[in-house]
Short mmCIF file of all heavy atoms in Angstrom, two decimals:
data_model
loop_
_atom_site.label_atom_id
_atom_site.label_comp_id
_atom_site.label_asym_id
_atom_site.label_seq_id
_atom_site.Cartn_x
_atom_site.Cartn_y
_atom_site.Cartn_z
N TYR Z 31 -5.16 31.34 3.81
CA TYR Z 31 -4.96 30.95 5.25
C TYR Z 31 -6.30 30.88 5.90
O TYR Z 31 -7.20 31.65 5.63
CB TYR Z 31 -4.08 31.99 5.97
CG TYR Z 31 -2.73 31.95 5.74
CD1 TYR Z 31 -2.04 32.46 4.61
CD2 TYR Z 31 -1.78 31.20 6.70
CE1 TYR Z 31 -0.64 32.40 4.43
CE2 TYR Z 31 -0.42 31.10 6.41
CZ TYR Z 31 0.13 31.61 5.24
OH TYR Z 31 1.44 31.60 5.02
N PHE Z 33 -8.00 30.13 9.88
CA PHE Z 33 -7.66 30.05 11.32
C PHE Z 33 -8.91 29.78 12.10
O PHE Z 33 -10.00 30.21 11.77
CB PHE Z 33 -7.14 31.34 11.91
CG PHE Z 33 -5.93 31.93 11.06
CD1 PHE Z 33 -6.15 32.59 9.88
CD2 PHE Z 33 -4.75 31.75 11.47
CE1 PHE Z 33 -5.04 33.09 9.22
CE2 PHE Z 33 -3.61 32.29 10.80
CZ PHE Z 33 -3.78 32.93 9.66
N TYR Z 35 -10.19 30.13 15.99
CA TYR Z 35 -10.00 30.72 17.29
C TYR Z 35 -11.15 30.42 18.23
O TYR Z 35 -12.27 30.13 17.86
CB TYR Z 35 -9.90 32.29 17.19
CG TYR Z 35 -8.72 32.85 16.63
CD1 TYR Z 35 -8.42 32.93 15.24
CD2 TYR Z 35 -7.63 33.26 17.49
CE1 TYR Z 35 -7.33 33.46 14.82
CE2 TYR Z 35 -6.46 33.82 16.95
CZ TYR Z 35 -6.38 33.92 15.64
OH TYR Z 35 -5.14 34.45 15.09
N GLN Z 37 -12.90 31.96 21.90
CA GLN Z 37 -12.98 33.09 22.80
C GLN Z 37 -13.78 32.74 24.04
O GLN Z 37 -14.89 32.36 23.90
CB GLN Z 37 -13.55 34.38 22.08
CG GLN Z 37 -13.41 35.63 22.90
CD GLN Z 37 -13.86 36.86 22.10
OE1 GLN Z 37 -14.70 36.85 21.35
NE2 GLN Z 37 -13.15 37.95 22.42
N LEU Z 43 -9.09 35.50 23.28
CA LEU Z 43 -9.11 34.87 21.95
C LEU Z 43 -7.84 34.02 21.89
O LEU Z 43 -6.72 34.47 21.97
CB LEU Z 43 -8.99 35.84 20.85
CG LEU Z 43 -10.27 36.33 20.26
CD1 LEU Z 43 -10.25 37.63 19.56
CD2 LEU Z 43 -10.98 35.26 19.34
N LEU Z 45 -5.82 31.03 19.56
CA LEU Z 45 -5.67 30.34 18.28
C LEU Z 45 -5.64 28.86 18.53
O LEU Z 45 -4.87 28.35 19.30
CB LEU Z 45 -4.42 30.75 17.58
CG LEU Z 45 -4.08 30.05 16.25
CD1 LEU Z 45 -5.14 30.39 15.23
CD2 LEU Z 45 -2.69 30.35 15.76
N TYR Z 48 -4.31 26.49 12.47
CA TYR Z 48 -4.46 27.22 11.24
C TYR Z 48 -3.90 26.44 10.07
O TYR Z 48 -3.09 25.54 10.21
CB TYR Z 48 -3.90 28.65 11.25
CG TYR Z 48 -2.38 28.81 11.12
CD1 TYR Z 48 -1.88 29.14 9.95
CD2 TYR Z 48 -1.51 28.69 12.29
CE1 TYR Z 48 -0.41 29.29 9.83
CE2 TYR Z 48 -0.18 28.88 12.16
CZ TYR Z 48 0.46 29.19 10.97
OH TYR Z 48 1.68 29.42 10.85
N ASP Z 56 -0.04 24.59 12.13
CA ASP Z 56 0.17 24.67 13.54
C ASP Z 56 -1.08 24.35 14.27
O ASP Z 56 -2.07 25.08 14.20
CB ASP Z 56 0.72 26.07 13.95
CG ASP Z 56 1.21 26.13 15.37
OD1 ASP Z 56 0.91 25.12 16.15
OD2 ASP Z 56 1.67 27.13 15.76
N PHE Z 91 -14.44 31.24 16.55
CA PHE Z 91 -14.43 32.01 15.29
C PHE Z 91 -13.49 31.37 14.27
O PHE Z 91 -12.46 30.74 14.68
CB PHE Z 91 -13.84 33.34 15.69
CG PHE Z 91 -14.71 34.30 16.47
CD1 PHE Z 91 -14.50 34.55 17.77
CD2 PHE Z 91 -15.73 34.93 15.80
CE1 PHE Z 91 -15.31 35.39 18.44
CE2 PHE Z 91 -16.57 35.86 16.50
CZ PHE Z 91 -16.34 36.05 17.87
N VAL Z 97 -2.41 37.02 2.59
CA VAL Z 97 -1.26 37.90 2.96
C VAL Z 97 -0.65 38.49 1.74
O VAL Z 97 -0.17 37.78 0.88
CB VAL Z 97 -0.22 37.14 3.81
CG1 VAL Z 97 0.85 38.10 4.23
CG2 VAL Z 97 -1.00 36.55 5.05
N GLY Z 99 2.23 41.20 1.16
CA GLY Z 99 3.22 41.99 1.87
C GLY Z 99 2.92 41.98 3.38
O GLY Z 99 2.79 41.03 3.92
N ASN Z 100 2.72 43.26 3.99
CA ASN Z 100 2.37 43.29 5.42
C ASN Z 100 0.92 43.47 5.61
O ASN Z 100 0.45 43.81 6.77
CB ASN Z 100 3.17 44.49 6.00
CG ASN Z 100 4.67 44.13 6.25
OD1 ASN Z 100 4.99 43.00 6.46
ND2 ASN Z 100 5.48 45.13 5.99
N TYR Z 102 -2.32 41.80 6.15
CA TYR Z 102 -2.70 40.57 6.45
C TYR Z 102 -4.17 40.27 6.00
O TYR Z 102 -4.64 39.14 5.99
CB TYR Z 102 -2.60 40.28 7.90
CG TYR Z 102 -1.21 39.98 8.27
CD1 TYR Z 102 -0.16 40.91 8.09
CD2 TYR Z 102 -0.75 38.72 8.74
CE1 TYR Z 102 1.19 40.61 8.34
CE2 TYR Z 102 0.54 38.43 8.92
CZ TYR Z 102 1.49 39.37 8.80
OH TYR Z 102 2.80 39.07 9.09
N TYR Z 104 -7.04 40.04 7.21
CA TYR Z 104 -7.71 39.09 8.12
C TYR Z 104 -9.27 39.41 8.12
O TYR Z 104 -9.66 40.55 8.35
CB TYR Z 104 -7.27 39.28 9.49
CG TYR Z 104 -6.61 38.05 10.10
CD1 TYR Z 104 -5.36 37.62 9.83
CD2 TYR Z 104 -7.22 37.37 11.08
CE1 TYR Z 104 -4.85 36.52 10.45
CE2 TYR Z 104 -6.77 36.26 11.75
CZ TYR Z 104 -5.46 35.88 11.35
OH TYR Z 104 -4.92 34.75 12.04
N PHE Z 106 -12.80 37.80 10.00
CA PHE Z 106 -13.48 36.88 10.89
C PHE Z 106 -14.90 36.58 10.39
O PHE Z 106 -15.63 37.43 9.92
CB PHE Z 106 -13.55 37.33 12.27
CG PHE Z 106 -12.21 37.28 13.05
CD1 PHE Z 106 -11.19 38.21 12.86
CD2 PHE Z 106 -12.00 36.24 13.91
CE1 PHE Z 106 -9.96 38.13 13.55
CE2 PHE Z 106 -10.78 36.16 14.61
CZ PHE Z 106 -9.81 37.04 14.39
N GLY Z 107 -15.34 35.36 10.72
CA GLY Z 107 -16.74 35.01 10.57
C GLY Z 107 -17.47 35.44 11.80
O GLY Z 107 -16.88 36.02 12.72
N SER Z 108 -18.82 35.29 11.85
CA SER Z 108 -19.59 35.91 12.93
C SER Z 108 -19.52 34.97 14.12
O SER Z 108 -20.04 35.39 15.13
CB SER Z 108 -21.07 35.97 12.50
OG SER Z 108 -21.18 36.83 11.41
N ARG Z 111 -21.55 30.28 18.76
CA ARG Z 111 -21.57 30.28 20.17
C ARG Z 111 -22.04 28.84 20.70
O ARG Z 111 -23.19 28.47 20.44
CB ARG Z 111 -22.61 31.30 20.69
CG ARG Z 111 -22.68 31.54 22.11
CD ARG Z 111 -23.55 32.77 22.48
NE ARG Z 111 -22.95 34.00 21.94
CZ ARG Z 111 -22.05 34.75 22.59
NH1 ARG Z 111 -21.60 34.33 23.75
NH2 ARG Z 111 -21.62 35.81 21.93
N SER X 32 4.42 42.75 13.09
CA SER X 32 3.23 43.52 12.66
C SER X 32 2.40 43.73 13.86
O SER X 32 2.18 42.78 14.67
CB SER X 32 2.50 42.78 11.48
OG SER X 32 3.41 42.63 10.43
N PHE X 34 -1.56 45.61 15.23
CA PHE X 34 -2.83 46.02 14.77
C PHE X 34 -3.59 46.40 16.04
O PHE X 34 -3.36 45.87 17.16
CB PHE X 34 -3.52 44.92 14.05
CG PHE X 34 -2.75 44.29 12.91
CD1 PHE X 34 -1.81 43.22 13.08
CD2 PHE X 34 -2.81 44.79 11.66
CE1 PHE X 34 -1.19 42.67 12.11
CE2 PHE X 34 -2.06 44.29 10.59
CZ PHE X 34 -1.26 43.23 10.85
N TYR X 36 -7.67 45.92 16.77
CA TYR X 36 -8.98 45.46 16.39
C TYR X 36 -10.01 46.02 17.31
O TYR X 36 -9.72 46.33 18.54
CB TYR X 36 -8.98 43.85 16.40
CG TYR X 36 -8.45 43.22 15.14
CD1 TYR X 36 -7.15 43.31 14.73
CD2 TYR X 36 -9.31 42.52 14.39
CE1 TYR X 36 -6.71 42.64 13.61
CE2 TYR X 36 -8.90 41.90 13.19
CZ TYR X 36 -7.56 41.97 12.81
OH TYR X 36 -7.08 41.38 11.70
N GLN X 38 -13.98 45.06 18.80
CA GLN X 38 -14.94 43.94 18.86
C GLN X 38 -16.20 44.50 19.63
O GLN X 38 -16.07 44.89 20.78
CB GLN X 38 -14.41 42.71 19.54
CG GLN X 38 -15.40 41.59 19.66
CD GLN X 38 -14.77 40.33 20.11
OE1 GLN X 38 -13.84 40.26 20.91
NE2 GLN X 38 -15.34 39.10 19.72
N ARG X 41 -20.81 40.71 21.35
CA ARG X 41 -21.38 39.51 20.72
C ARG X 41 -21.25 39.55 19.23
O ARG X 41 -22.00 38.96 18.57
CB ARG X 41 -22.87 39.39 21.09
CG ARG X 41 -23.14 39.26 22.58
CD ARG X 41 -24.70 39.08 22.80
NE ARG X 41 -25.19 37.78 22.61
CZ ARG X 41 -25.09 36.90 23.56
NH1 ARG X 41 -24.45 37.02 24.67
NH2 ARG X 41 -25.53 35.57 23.30
N LYS X 42 -20.14 40.22 18.83
CA LYS X 42 -19.79 40.31 17.40
C LYS X 42 -18.38 39.80 17.25
O LYS X 42 -17.58 39.54 18.12
CB LYS X 42 -19.90 41.71 16.88
CG LYS X 42 -21.26 42.29 16.97
CD LYS X 42 -22.12 41.72 15.95
CE LYS X 42 -23.47 42.48 15.79
NZ LYS X 42 -24.44 41.94 14.87
N GLU X 43 -17.94 39.63 15.96
CA GLU X 43 -16.58 39.20 15.71
C GLU X 43 -15.64 40.45 15.74
O GLU X 43 -15.94 41.55 15.55
CB GLU X 43 -16.52 38.61 14.33
CG GLU X 43 -16.64 39.52 13.10
CD GLU X 43 -18.15 39.69 12.71
OE1 GLU X 43 -18.98 39.51 13.55
OE2 GLU X 43 -18.34 40.12 11.61
N PRO X 44 -14.40 40.10 16.01
CA PRO X 44 -13.33 41.25 15.94
C PRO X 44 -13.27 41.76 14.47
O PRO X 44 -13.27 41.03 13.49
CB PRO X 44 -12.00 40.53 16.32
CG PRO X 44 -12.48 39.29 17.00
CD PRO X 44 -13.68 38.92 16.34
N LEU X 87 -8.90 45.48 20.98
CA LEU X 87 -7.88 44.39 21.03
C LEU X 87 -6.62 44.82 20.45
O LEU X 87 -6.61 45.19 19.30
CB LEU X 87 -8.47 43.18 20.45
CG LEU X 87 -9.79 42.62 20.93
CD1 LEU X 87 -10.52 41.78 19.85
CD2 LEU X 87 -9.60 41.91 22.19
N THR X 91 1.77 40.01 15.51
CA THR X 91 2.13 38.86 14.83
C THR X 91 3.57 38.81 14.43
O THR X 91 4.23 39.85 14.41
CB THR X 91 1.27 38.75 13.54
OG1 THR X 91 1.43 37.42 12.97
CG2 THR X 91 1.67 39.74 12.59
N LEU X 92 4.15 37.62 14.36
CA LEU X 92 5.44 37.44 13.98
C LEU X 92 5.62 37.40 12.42
O LEU X 92 4.76 37.22 11.68
CB LEU X 92 5.98 36.08 14.56
CG LEU X 92 6.00 35.91 16.06
CD1 LEU X 92 6.27 34.52 16.40
CD2 LEU X 92 6.94 36.84 16.69
N SER X 93 6.93 37.66 12.00
CA SER X 93 7.05 37.72 10.59
C SER X 93 7.29 36.20 10.17
O SER X 93 7.20 35.30 10.88
CB SER X 93 8.31 38.45 10.26
OG SER X 93 9.47 37.91 10.83
N SER X 95 6.81 32.68 8.27
CA SER X 95 5.73 31.78 7.86
C SER X 95 4.59 31.88 8.82
O SER X 95 3.46 31.40 8.47
CB SER X 95 6.19 30.34 7.68
OG SER X 95 6.67 29.94 8.89
N ALA X 96 4.77 32.32 10.00
CA ALA X 96 3.70 32.32 11.00
C ALA X 96 2.84 33.61 10.87
O ALA X 96 3.28 34.70 11.01
CB ALA X 96 4.33 32.41 12.39
N ARG X 97 1.64 33.28 10.37
CA ARG X 97 0.83 34.43 9.98
C ARG X 97 -0.34 34.62 11.10
O ARG X 97 -1.17 35.51 10.94
CB ARG X 97 0.11 34.13 8.66
CG ARG X 97 1.04 34.06 7.49
CD ARG X 97 1.88 35.27 7.36
NE ARG X 97 2.74 35.20 6.12
CZ ARG X 97 3.64 36.20 5.65
NH1 ARG X 97 3.56 37.22 6.27
NH2 ARG X 97 4.24 35.96 4.60
N GLN X 98 -0.31 33.86 12.09
CA GLN X 98 -1.32 33.94 13.08
C GLN X 98 -1.17 35.21 13.83
O GLN X 98 -0.14 35.67 14.27
CB GLN X 98 -1.44 32.67 13.99
CG GLN X 98 -0.31 32.53 14.88
CD GLN X 98 0.85 31.71 14.34
OE1 GLN X 98 1.14 31.66 13.20
NE2 GLN X 98 1.51 30.94 15.21
N LEU X 99 -2.38 35.68 14.27
CA LEU X 99 -2.44 36.86 15.20
C LEU X 99 -2.51 36.42 16.56
O LEU X 99 -3.16 35.44 16.90
CB LEU X 99 -3.68 37.71 14.86
CG LEU X 99 -3.90 38.23 13.39
CD1 LEU X 99 -5.24 39.00 13.20
CD2 LEU X 99 -2.63 38.96 12.92
N THR X 100 -1.82 37.18 17.41
CA THR X 100 -1.80 36.92 18.85
C THR X 100 -2.60 38.11 19.47
O THR X 100 -2.13 39.27 19.31
CB THR X 100 -0.46 36.77 19.46
OG1 THR X 100 0.11 35.68 18.88
CG2 THR X 100 -0.62 36.49 20.98
N PHE X 101 -3.71 37.85 20.17
CA PHE X 101 -4.55 38.91 20.72
C PHE X 101 -4.27 39.24 22.19
O PHE X 101 -4.05 38.21 22.89
CB PHE X 101 -5.99 38.57 20.50
CG PHE X 101 -6.60 38.52 19.20
CD1 PHE X 101 -6.27 37.45 18.30
CD2 PHE X 101 -7.33 39.59 18.74
CE1 PHE X 101 -6.73 37.50 16.95
CE2 PHE X 101 -7.71 39.61 17.40
CZ PHE X 101 -7.47 38.59 16.55
#
Side-chain angles (χ1 to χ4, degrees):
Chain Z
Y31 283 84
F33 305 81
Y35 283 86
Q37 188 173 36
L43 268 162
L45 177 66
Y48 78 98
D56 185 351
F91 288 105
V97 180
N100 285 325
Y102 282 66
Y104 240 76
F106 280 82
S108 300
R111 186 171 297 272
Chain X
S32 297
F34 309 91
Y36 272 67
Q38 186 173 24
R41 302 179 79 84
K42 298 285 189 180
E43 71 274 21
L87 300 160
T91 189
L92 298 172
S93 63
S95 61
R97 301 296 186 179
Q98 68 267 34
L99 305 180
T100 301
F101 287 81

